[in-house]
Amino acid sequence: MDQEGRPSARRERLWAFFELFALVGFVVAQPKLDILGKAPDFFLFRRAGRAEILVLVLVLAVTVLPALGLWLAELAAGRCTC
């Protein structure tokens, strides 16, 4: 916190990233992970191979990358003094 009792700019930027991460998670990853959560034996019964498991990893990447991109765009817009 700074001298006036406000959170530091670094903490505010980090909090903005967490907010974006949560929103992207609700929009992108939650529907896909909800299906797997209701049927945890999905991979077992389908005899999932590497490809299916990599798809799950990609779902997690699809959650992180848009949030990171939006956060970086927000930081760039914040630095613009137009």
Side-chain angles (χ1 to χ4, degrees):
M1 291 201 172
D2 64 6
Q3 294 174 349
E4 297 171 4
R6 296 179 312 201
S8 67
R10 183 180 220 176
R11 179 176 253 171
E12 287 180 7
R13 289 192 302 265
L14 186 61
W15 188 253
F17 172 72
F18 288 136
E19 287 176 348
L20 282 171
F21 183 76
L23 290 173
V24 169
F26 285 133
V27 172
V28 176
Q30 193 276 332
K32 292 167 182 58
L33 295 177
D34 185 45
I35 293 169
L36 296 175
K38 291 179 181 173
D41 50 0
F42 175 79
F43 291 113
L44 179 64
F45 286 130
R46 291 198 48 174
R47 295 184 182 189
R50 291 180 181 168
E52 288 88 0
I53 294 172
L54 284 175
V55 167
L56 180 61
V57 171
L58 288 175
V59 167
L60 296 175
V62 165
T63 304
V64 173
L65 294 177
L68 186 60
L70 288 169
W71 183 60
L72 291 173
E74 179 182 350
L75 289 177
R79 293 188 185 262
C80 179
T81 58
C82 300

